[in-house]
Amino acid sequence: PDLRFDHPELDSVHVEVMGYWSRDALWRRVELVEAGLAARIVFVASSRLRVSEAVLSDDNHAGLYVYKGVIHAKTLLARVDAVARRPKASTR
């Protein structure tokens, strides 16, 4: 991950900026989350990767922020906050 956001009362959330990486690299990250990745994380991807934010549902502890042109700090922080506030995932 590129960044880690810490909150005194919530879990830390990592942020990985995908930028112009390949779609395959992004899908590998989605597969990690679906397999039970323990860390809370927000992936940030360019709209040029042609992926929907809906690929990561709200019932897990990860999120996807797709940006066009520039990453907006307020939007990123809102996504980080939303992921930090989600209930802990059940263990498999």
mmCIF file of all heavy atoms in Angstrom, residues 16-59:
data_model
loop_
_atom_site.group_PDB
_atom_site.id
_atom_site.type_symbol
_atom_site.label_atom_id
_atom_site.label_comp_id
_atom_site.label_asym_id
_atom_site.label_seq_id
_atom_site.Cartn_x
_atom_site.Cartn_y
_atom_site.Cartn_z
ATOM 1 N N GLU A 16 -4.047 1.988 -1.679
ATOM 2 C CA GLU A 16 -3.122 1.661 -2.757
ATOM 3 C C GLU A 16 -3.608 2.334 -4.033
ATOM 4 O O GLU A 16 -4.720 2.075 -4.495
ATOM 5 C CB GLU A 16 -3.025 0.153 -2.971
ATOM 6 C CG GLU A 16 -1.999 -0.197 -4.020
ATOM 7 C CD GLU A 16 -1.685 -1.681 -4.096
ATOM 8 O OE1 GLU A 16 -2.279 -2.472 -3.343
ATOM 9 O OE2 GLU A 16 -0.832 -2.030 -4.919
ATOM 10 N N VAL A 17 -2.773 3.196 -4.578
ATOM 11 C CA VAL A 17 -3.109 3.928 -5.798
ATOM 12 C C VAL A 17 -2.653 3.094 -6.990
ATOM 13 O O VAL A 17 -1.462 2.821 -7.149
ATOM 14 C CB VAL A 17 -2.448 5.319 -5.814
ATOM 15 C CG1 VAL A 17 -2.806 6.063 -7.103
ATOM 16 C CG2 VAL A 17 -2.869 6.129 -4.597
ATOM 17 N N MET A 18 -3.614 2.680 -7.795
ATOM 18 C CA MET A 18 -3.325 1.842 -8.949
ATOM 19 C C MET A 18 -2.987 2.669 -10.189
ATOM 20 O O MET A 18 -2.304 2.184 -11.065
ATOM 21 C CB MET A 18 -4.522 0.921 -9.245
ATOM 22 C CG MET A 18 -4.963 0.069 -8.075
ATOM 23 S SD MET A 18 -3.763 -1.138 -7.543
ATOM 24 C CE MET A 18 -3.802 -2.275 -8.885
ATOM 25 N N GLY A 19 -3.483 3.890 -10.268
ATOM 26 C CA GLY A 19 -3.161 4.759 -11.398
ATOM 27 C C GLY A 19 -3.444 4.104 -12.730
ATOM 28 O O GLY A 19 -4.554 3.729 -13.033
ATOM 29 N N TYR A 20 -2.411 3.927 -13.524
ATOM 30 C CA TYR A 20 -2.565 3.372 -14.871
ATOM 31 C C TYR A 20 -2.052 1.949 -14.963
ATOM 32 O O TYR A 20 -1.599 1.512 -16.008
ATOM 33 C CB TYR A 20 -1.850 4.278 -15.875
ATOM 34 C CG TYR A 20 -2.422 5.659 -15.879
ATOM 35 C CD1 TYR A 20 -1.751 6.704 -15.266
ATOM 36 C CD2 TYR A 20 -3.650 5.920 -16.456
ATOM 37 C CE1 TYR A 20 -2.287 7.981 -15.245
ATOM 38 C CE2 TYR A 20 -4.202 7.197 -16.441
ATOM 39 C CZ TYR A 20 -3.510 8.210 -15.837
ATOM 40 O OH TYR A 20 -4.042 9.471 -15.812
ATOM 41 N N TRP A 21 -2.088 1.223 -13.857
ATOM 42 C CA TRP A 21 -1.672 -0.174 -13.863
ATOM 43 C C TRP A 21 -2.589 -0.962 -14.790
ATOM 44 O O TRP A 21 -3.596 -0.472 -15.269
ATOM 45 C CB TRP A 21 -1.777 -0.763 -12.467
ATOM 46 C CG TRP A 21 -0.779 -0.267 -11.481
ATOM 47 C CD1 TRP A 21 -0.154 0.943 -11.471
ATOM 48 C CD2 TRP A 21 -0.314 -0.952 -10.335
ATOM 49 N NE1 TRP A 21 0.669 1.048 -10.395
ATOM 50 C CE2 TRP A 21 0.595 -0.108 -9.671
ATOM 51 C CE3 TRP A 21 -0.574 -2.200 -9.800
ATOM 52 C CZ2 TRP A 21 1.234 -0.474 -8.515
ATOM 53 C CZ3 TRP A 21 0.061 -2.565 -8.637
ATOM 54 C CH2 TRP A 21 0.967 -1.713 -8.013
ATOM 55 N N SER A 22 -2.295 -2.203 -14.964
ATOM 56 C CA SER A 22 -3.132 -3.044 -15.818
ATOM 57 C C SER A 22 -4.407 -3.445 -15.077
ATOM 58 O O SER A 22 -4.444 -3.492 -13.844
ATOM 59 C CB SER A 22 -2.370 -4.294 -16.239
ATOM 60 O OG SER A 22 -2.227 -5.177 -15.142
ATOM 61 N N ARG A 23 -5.425 -3.753 -15.859
ATOM 62 C CA ARG A 23 -6.679 -4.244 -15.279
ATOM 63 C C ARG A 23 -6.425 -5.553 -14.529
ATOM 64 O O ARG A 23 -7.022 -5.806 -13.494
ATOM 65 C CB ARG A 23 -7.721 -4.480 -16.371
ATOM 66 C CG ARG A 23 -8.338 -3.223 -16.903
ATOM 67 C CD ARG A 23 -9.252 -3.500 -18.105
ATOM 68 N NE ARG A 23 -10.201 -4.554 -17.891
ATOM 69 C CZ ARG A 23 -11.458 -4.398 -17.476
ATOM 70 N NH1 ARG A 23 -11.896 -3.192 -17.219
ATOM 71 N NH2 ARG A 23 -12.258 -5.415 -17.333
ATOM 72 N N ASP A 24 -5.528 -6.375 -15.050
ATOM 73 C CA ASP A 24 -5.225 -7.648 -14.388
ATOM 74 C C ASP A 24 -4.696 -7.435 -12.975
ATOM 75 O O ASP A 24 -5.055 -8.168 -12.055
ATOM 76 C CB ASP A 24 -4.211 -8.456 -15.193
ATOM 77 C CG ASP A 24 -4.800 -9.029 -16.473
ATOM 78 O OD1 ASP A 24 -6.039 -9.165 -16.546
ATOM 79 O OD2 ASP A 24 -4.019 -9.346 -17.385
ATOM 80 N N ALA A 25 -3.843 -6.434 -12.807
ATOM 81 C CA ALA A 25 -3.306 -6.143 -11.473
ATOM 82 C C ALA A 25 -4.426 -5.752 -10.516
ATOM 83 O O ALA A 25 -4.453 -6.183 -9.360
ATOM 84 C CB ALA A 25 -2.260 -5.033 -11.550
ATOM 85 N N LEU A 26 -5.375 -4.972 -10.998
ATOM 86 C CA LEU A 26 -6.501 -4.571 -10.158
ATOM 87 C C LEU A 26 -7.369 -5.775 -9.815
ATOM 88 O O LEU A 26 -7.767 -5.951 -8.662
ATOM 89 C CB LEU A 26 -7.325 -3.482 -10.853
ATOM 90 C CG LEU A 26 -8.535 -2.995 -10.083
ATOM 91 C CD1 LEU A 26 -8.120 -2.421 -8.720
ATOM 92 C CD2 LEU A 26 -9.287 -1.951 -10.879
ATOM 93 N N TRP A 27 -7.637 -6.624 -10.787
ATOM 94 C CA TRP A 27 -8.461 -7.810 -10.518
ATOM 95 C C TRP A 27 -7.778 -8.762 -9.552
ATOM 96 O O TRP A 27 -8.443 -9.418 -8.753
ATOM 97 C CB TRP A 27 -8.842 -8.528 -11.814
ATOM 98 C CG TRP A 27 -9.893 -7.769 -12.559
ATOM 99 C CD1 TRP A 27 -9.747 -7.122 -13.739
ATOM 100 C CD2 TRP A 27 -11.243 -7.540 -12.146
ATOM 101 N NE1 TRP A 27 -10.931 -6.500 -14.079
ATOM 102 C CE2 TRP A 27 -11.860 -6.750 -13.122
ATOM 103 C CE3 TRP A 27 -11.984 -7.924 -11.037
ATOM 104 C CZ2 TRP A 27 -13.188 -6.337 -13.024
ATOM 105 C CZ3 TRP A 27 -13.304 -7.509 -10.931
ATOM 106 C CH2 TRP A 27 -13.893 -6.732 -11.925
ATOM 107 N N ARG A 28 -6.442 -8.828 -9.587
ATOM 108 C CA ARG A 28 -5.737 -9.661 -8.600
ATOM 109 C C ARG A 28 -5.966 -9.116 -7.193
ATOM 110 O O ARG A 28 -6.109 -9.882 -6.231
ATOM 111 C CB ARG A 28 -4.246 -9.739 -8.930
ATOM 112 C CG ARG A 28 -3.955 -10.663 -10.102
ATOM 113 C CD ARG A 28 -2.476 -10.985 -10.236
ATOM 114 N NE ARG A 28 -1.636 -9.817 -10.438
ATOM 115 C CZ ARG A 28 -1.357 -9.269 -11.632
ATOM 116 N NH1 ARG A 28 -1.876 -9.797 -12.726
ATOM 117 N NH2 ARG A 28 -0.575 -8.216 -11.723
ATOM 118 N N ARG A 29 -6.009 -7.790 -7.045
ATOM 119 C CA ARG A 29 -6.283 -7.192 -5.730
ATOM 120 C C ARG A 29 -7.703 -7.512 -5.287
ATOM 121 O O ARG A 29 -7.942 -7.818 -4.125
ATOM 122 C CB ARG A 29 -6.102 -5.672 -5.767
ATOM 123 C CG ARG A 29 -4.752 -5.105 -6.170
ATOM 124 C CD ARG A 29 -3.598 -5.700 -5.444
ATOM 125 N NE ARG A 29 -2.335 -5.029 -5.640
ATOM 126 C CZ ARG A 29 -1.530 -5.171 -6.672
ATOM 127 N NH1 ARG A 29 -1.879 -5.904 -7.711
ATOM 128 N NH2 ARG A 29 -0.350 -4.565 -6.697
ATOM 129 N N VAL A 30 -8.654 -7.438 -6.203
ATOM 130 C CA VAL A 30 -10.049 -7.768 -5.869
ATOM 131 C C VAL A 30 -10.134 -9.222 -5.419
ATOM 132 O O VAL A 30 -10.811 -9.543 -4.434
ATOM 133 C CB VAL A 30 -10.979 -7.493 -7.072
ATOM 134 C CG1 VAL A 30 -12.370 -8.064 -6.842
ATOM 135 C CG2 VAL A 30 -11.046 -5.984 -7.356
ATOM 136 N N GLU A 31 -9.432 -10.105 -6.104
ATOM 137 C CA GLU A 31 -9.430 -11.524 -5.725
ATOM 138 C C GLU A 31 -8.832 -11.727 -4.334
ATOM 139 O O GLU A 31 -9.310 -12.571 -3.574
ATOM 140 C CB GLU A 31 -8.669 -12.347 -6.763
ATOM 141 C CG GLU A 31 -9.406 -12.455 -8.082
ATOM 142 C CD GLU A 31 -8.563 -13.048 -9.198
ATOM 143 O OE1 GLU A 31 -7.351 -13.328 -8.981
ATOM 144 O OE2 GLU A 31 -9.106 -13.224 -10.295
ATOM 145 N N LEU A 32 -7.804 -10.948 -3.986
ATOM 146 C CA LEU A 32 -7.227 -11.026 -2.638
ATOM 147 C C LEU A 32 -8.265 -10.668 -1.579
ATOM 148 O O LEU A 32 -8.361 -11.320 -0.542
ATOM 149 C CB LEU A 32 -6.022 -10.097 -2.513
ATOM 150 C CG LEU A 32 -4.716 -10.569 -3.110
ATOM 151 C CD1 LEU A 32 -3.676 -9.460 -3.044
ATOM 152 C CD2 LEU A 32 -4.216 -11.797 -2.372
ATOM 153 N N VAL A 33 -9.013 -9.616 -1.839
ATOM 154 C CA VAL A 33 -10.051 -9.195 -0.898
ATOM 155 C C VAL A 33 -11.102 -10.295 -0.768
ATOM 156 O O VAL A 33 -11.507 -10.660 0.337
ATOM 157 C CB VAL A 33 -10.695 -7.866 -1.346
ATOM 158 C CG1 VAL A 33 -11.943 -7.558 -0.539
ATOM 159 C CG2 VAL A 33 -9.690 -6.730 -1.237
ATOM 160 N N GLU A 34 -11.545 -10.822 -1.894
ATOM 161 C CA GLU A 34 -12.566 -11.867 -1.869
ATOM 162 C C GLU A 34 -12.078 -13.140 -1.187
ATOM 163 O O GLU A 34 -12.867 -13.895 -0.628
ATOM 164 C CB GLU A 34 -13.034 -12.162 -3.293
ATOM 165 C CG GLU A 34 -13.826 -11.013 -3.885
ATOM 166 C CD GLU A 34 -14.148 -11.197 -5.358
ATOM 167 O OE1 GLU A 34 -13.539 -12.085 -6.002
ATOM 168 O OE2 GLU A 34 -14.991 -10.454 -5.859
ATOM 169 N N ALA A 35 -10.763 -13.363 -1.202
ATOM 170 C CA ALA A 35 -10.192 -14.546 -0.550
ATOM 171 C C ALA A 35 -10.016 -14.350 0.944
ATOM 172 O O ALA A 35 -9.655 -15.278 1.657
ATOM 173 C CB ALA A 35 -8.849 -14.892 -1.186
ATOM 174 N N GLY A 36 -10.256 -13.127 1.437
ATOM 175 C CA GLY A 36 -10.199 -12.906 2.872
ATOM 176 C C GLY A 36 -9.044 -12.053 3.348
ATOM 177 O O GLY A 36 -8.596 -12.219 4.477
ATOM 178 N N LEU A 37 -8.560 -11.149 2.531
ATOM 179 C CA LEU A 37 -7.495 -10.231 2.948
ATOM 180 C C LEU A 37 -7.889 -9.569 4.259
ATOM 181 O O LEU A 37 -8.977 -9.029 4.391
ATOM 182 C CB LEU A 37 -7.267 -9.169 1.862
ATOM 183 C CG LEU A 37 -6.157 -8.151 2.121
ATOM 184 C CD1 LEU A 37 -4.798 -8.834 2.043
ATOM 185 C CD2 LEU A 37 -6.236 -7.030 1.103
ATOM 186 N N ALA A 38 -7.012 -9.637 5.247
ATOM 187 C CA ALA A 38 -7.355 -9.161 6.587
ATOM 188 C C ALA A 38 -7.331 -7.641 6.725
ATOM 189 O O ALA A 38 -8.072 -7.080 7.519
ATOM 190 C CB ALA A 38 -6.400 -9.771 7.606
ATOM 191 N N ALA A 39 -6.483 -6.973 5.985
ATOM 192 C CA ALA A 39 -6.335 -5.521 6.132
ATOM 193 C C ALA A 39 -7.492 -4.770 5.490
ATOM 194 O O ALA A 39 -8.025 -5.187 4.466
ATOM 195 C CB ALA A 39 -5.026 -5.070 5.487
ATOM 196 N N ARG A 40 -7.862 -3.665 6.127
ATOM 197 C CA ARG A 40 -8.836 -2.760 5.513
ATOM 198 C C ARG A 40 -8.083 -1.942 4.475
ATOM 199 O O ARG A 40 -7.018 -1.403 4.760
ATOM 200 C CB ARG A 40 -9.457 -1.849 6.562
ATOM 201 C CG ARG A 40 -10.331 -2.609 7.539
ATOM 202 C CD ARG A 40 -10.888 -1.675 8.600
ATOM 203 N NE ARG A 40 -11.665 -2.426 9.549
ATOM 204 C CZ ARG A 40 -12.987 -2.604 9.460
ATOM 205 N NH1 ARG A 40 -13.654 -2.071 8.468
ATOM 206 N NH2 ARG A 40 -13.629 -3.304 10.358
ATOM 207 N N ILE A 41 -8.648 -1.839 3.266
ATOM 208 C CA ILE A 41 -7.924 -1.173 2.196
ATOM 209 C C ILE A 41 -8.871 -0.530 1.191
ATOM 210 O O ILE A 41 -9.970 -1.033 0.962
ATOM 211 C CB ILE A 41 -6.961 -2.164 1.488
ATOM 212 C CG1 ILE A 41 -6.003 -1.428 0.553
ATOM 213 C CG2 ILE A 41 -7.717 -3.270 0.788
ATOM 214 C CD1 ILE A 41 -4.784 -2.242 0.178
ATOM 215 N N VAL A 42 -8.423 0.588 0.646
ATOM 216 C CA VAL A 42 -9.121 1.249 -0.448
ATOM 217 C C VAL A 42 -8.164 1.260 -1.630
ATOM 218 O O VAL A 42 -7.037 1.751 -1.512
ATOM 219 C CB VAL A 42 -9.532 2.690 -0.091
ATOM 220 C CG1 VAL A 42 -10.127 3.402 -1.307
ATOM 221 C CG2 VAL A 42 -10.528 2.702 1.067
ATOM 222 N N PHE A 43 -8.607 0.702 -2.738
ATOM 223 C CA PHE A 43 -7.834 0.752 -3.968
ATOM 224 C C PHE A 43 -8.311 1.963 -4.761
ATOM 225 O O PHE A 43 -9.508 2.207 -4.869
ATOM 226 C CB PHE A 43 -8.023 -0.523 -4.791
ATOM 227 C CG PHE A 43 -7.558 -1.752 -4.071
ATOM 228 C CD1 PHE A 43 -8.459 -2.658 -3.556
ATOM 229 C CD2 PHE A 43 -6.201 -2.003 -3.905
ATOM 230 C CE1 PHE A 43 -8.037 -3.795 -2.883
ATOM 231 C CE2 PHE A 43 -5.763 -3.131 -3.228
ATOM 232 C CZ PHE A 43 -6.683 -4.028 -2.723
ATOM 233 N N VAL A 44 -7.373 2.706 -5.298
ATOM 234 C CA VAL A 44 -7.682 3.903 -6.080
ATOM 235 C C VAL A 44 -7.229 3.621 -7.501
ATOM 236 O O VAL A 44 -6.048 3.343 -7.734
ATOM 237 C CB VAL A 44 -6.951 5.137 -5.509
ATOM 238 C CG1 VAL A 44 -7.283 6.373 -6.308
ATOM 239 C CG2 VAL A 44 -7.299 5.327 -4.034
ATOM 240 N N ALA A 45 -8.173 3.672 -8.450
ATOM 241 C CA ALA A 45 -7.850 3.298 -9.825
ATOM 242 C C ALA A 45 -8.343 4.344 -10.809
ATOM 243 O O ALA A 45 -9.404 4.947 -10.621
ATOM 244 C CB ALA A 45 -8.479 1.955 -10.158
ATOM 245 N N SER A 46 -7.581 4.521 -11.850
ATOM 246 C CA SER A 46 -7.967 5.429 -12.918
ATOM 247 C C SER A 46 -9.169 4.867 -13.675
ATOM 248 O O SER A 46 -9.283 3.646 -13.861
ATOM 249 C CB SER A 46 -6.790 5.611 -13.882
ATOM 250 O OG SER A 46 -7.221 6.244 -15.067
ATOM 251 N N SER A 47 -10.031 5.748 -14.134
ATOM 252 C CA SER A 47 -11.180 5.306 -14.939
ATOM 253 C C SER A 47 -10.722 4.666 -16.244
ATOM 254 O O SER A 47 -11.486 3.935 -16.876
ATOM 255 C CB SER A 47 -12.107 6.488 -15.221
ATOM 256 O OG SER A 47 -11.439 7.477 -15.990
ATOM 257 N N ARG A 48 -9.481 4.898 -16.638
ATOM 258 C CA ARG A 48 -8.950 4.284 -17.866
ATOM 259 C C ARG A 48 -8.827 2.771 -17.737
ATOM 260 O O ARG A 48 -8.689 2.072 -18.737
ATOM 261 C CB ARG A 48 -7.593 4.885 -18.206
ATOM 262 C CG ARG A 48 -7.703 6.328 -18.615
ATOM 263 C CD ARG A 48 -6.369 6.891 -18.986
ATOM 264 N NE ARG A 48 -6.520 8.299 -19.308
ATOM 265 C CZ ARG A 48 -5.556 9.057 -19.747
ATOM 266 N NH1 ARG A 48 -4.345 8.551 -19.914
ATOM 267 N NH2 ARG A 48 -5.767 10.327 -20.011
ATOM 268 N N LEU A 49 -8.884 2.260 -16.514
ATOM 269 C CA LEU A 49 -8.846 0.813 -16.314
ATOM 270 C C LEU A 49 -10.211 0.175 -16.562
ATOM 271 O O LEU A 49 -10.337 -1.051 -16.519
ATOM 272 C CB LEU A 49 -8.342 0.465 -14.908
ATOM 273 C CG LEU A 49 -6.892 0.820 -14.623
ATOM 274 C CD1 LEU A 49 -6.514 0.432 -13.200
ATOM 275 C CD2 LEU A 49 -5.959 0.162 -15.620
ATOM 276 N N ARG A 50 -11.229 0.994 -16.789
ATOM 277 C CA ARG A 50 -12.581 0.524 -17.133
ATOM 278 C C ARG A 50 -13.108 -0.509 -16.131
ATOM 279 O O ARG A 50 -13.403 -1.643 -16.467
ATOM 280 C CB ARG A 50 -12.607 -0.044 -18.550
ATOM 281 C CG ARG A 50 -12.193 0.932 -19.609
ATOM 282 C CD ARG A 50 -12.145 0.344 -21.012
ATOM 283 N NE ARG A 50 -11.728 -1.038 -21.129
ATOM 284 C CZ ARG A 50 -10.464 -1.467 -21.194
ATOM 285 N NH1 ARG A 50 -9.484 -0.615 -21.108
ATOM 286 N NH2 ARG A 50 -10.203 -2.747 -21.327
ATOM 287 N N VAL A 51 -13.206 -0.081 -14.878
ATOM 288 C CA VAL A 51 -13.725 -0.949 -13.826
ATOM 289 C C VAL A 51 -14.720 -0.152 -12.990
ATOM 290 O O VAL A 51 -14.593 1.057 -12.849
ATOM 291 C CB VAL A 51 -12.567 -1.508 -12.953
ATOM 292 C CG1 VAL A 51 -11.872 -0.410 -12.205
ATOM 293 C CG2 VAL A 51 -13.062 -2.587 -12.024
ATOM 294 N N SER A 52 -15.706 -0.832 -12.470
ATOM 295 C CA SER A 52 -16.738 -0.194 -11.658
ATOM 296 C C SER A 52 -16.409 -0.305 -10.175
ATOM 297 O O SER A 52 -15.881 -1.330 -9.726
ATOM 298 C CB SER A 52 -18.086 -0.870 -11.920
ATOM 299 O OG SER A 52 -19.043 -0.467 -10.974
ATOM 300 N N GLU A 53 -16.761 0.718 -9.426
ATOM 301 C CA GLU A 53 -16.562 0.678 -7.975
ATOM 302 C C GLU A 53 -17.398 -0.421 -7.333
ATOM 303 O O GLU A 53 -17.108 -0.865 -6.234
ATOM 304 C CB GLU A 53 -16.890 2.034 -7.363
ATOM 305 C CG GLU A 53 -15.908 3.101 -7.787
ATOM 306 C CD GLU A 53 -16.226 4.481 -7.243
ATOM 307 O OE1 GLU A 53 -17.325 4.673 -6.671
ATOM 308 O OE2 GLU A 53 -15.379 5.367 -7.404
ATOM 309 N N ALA A 54 -18.409 -0.894 -8.028
ATOM 310 C CA ALA A 54 -19.300 -1.919 -7.490
ATOM 311 C C ALA A 54 -18.647 -3.306 -7.409
ATOM 312 O O ALA A 54 -19.224 -4.213 -6.810
ATOM 313 C CB ALA A 54 -20.568 -1.998 -8.333
ATOM 314 N N VAL A 55 -17.448 -3.484 -7.977
ATOM 315 C CA VAL A 55 -16.813 -4.809 -7.908
ATOM 316 C C VAL A 55 -16.468 -5.192 -6.483
ATOM 317 O O VAL A 55 -16.339 -6.374 -6.184
ATOM 318 C CB VAL A 55 -15.564 -4.926 -8.813
ATOM 319 C CG1 VAL A 55 -15.919 -4.707 -10.259
ATOM 320 C CG2 VAL A 55 -14.459 -4.020 -8.371
ATOM 321 N N LEU A 56 -16.312 -4.210 -5.607
ATOM 322 C CA LEU A 56 -16.105 -4.487 -4.185
ATOM 323 C C LEU A 56 -17.336 -4.019 -3.429
ATOM 324 O O LEU A 56 -17.592 -2.823 -3.319
ATOM 325 C CB LEU A 56 -14.844 -3.778 -3.658
ATOM 326 C CG LEU A 56 -13.528 -4.361 -4.145
ATOM 327 C CD1 LEU A 56 -12.363 -3.500 -3.719
ATOM 328 C CD2 LEU A 56 -13.350 -5.779 -3.626
ATOM 329 N N SER A 57 -18.101 -4.963 -2.930
ATOM 330 C CA SER A 57 -19.359 -4.637 -2.264
ATOM 331 C C SER A 57 -19.119 -4.019 -0.895
ATOM 332 O O SER A 57 -18.023 -4.092 -0.344
ATOM 333 C CB SER A 57 -20.219 -5.893 -2.133
ATOM 334 O OG SER A 57 -19.586 -6.810 -1.284
ATOM 335 N N ASP A 58 -20.170 -3.436 -0.359
ATOM 336 C CA ASP A 58 -20.097 -2.785 0.946
ATOM 337 C C ASP A 58 -20.055 -3.775 2.111
ATOM 338 O O ASP A 58 -19.940 -3.365 3.248
ATOM 339 C CB ASP A 58 -21.296 -1.855 1.140
ATOM 340 C CG ASP A 58 -21.237 -0.648 0.226
ATOM 341 O OD1 ASP A 58 -20.143 -0.364 -0.315
ATOM 342 O OD2 ASP A 58 -22.268 0.016 0.052
ATOM 343 N N ASP A 59 -20.155 -5.064 1.839
ATOM 344 C CA ASP A 59 -20.178 -6.028 2.937
ATOM 345 C C ASP A 59 -18.793 -6.606 3.243
ATOM 346 O O ASP A 59 -18.670 -7.565 3.983
ATOM 347 C CB ASP A 59 -21.182 -7.148 2.667
ATOM 348 C CG ASP A 59 -20.858 -7.947 1.424
ATOM 349 O OD1 ASP A 59 -19.952 -7.545 0.669
ATOM 350 O OD2 ASP A 59 -21.516 -8.986 1.208
#
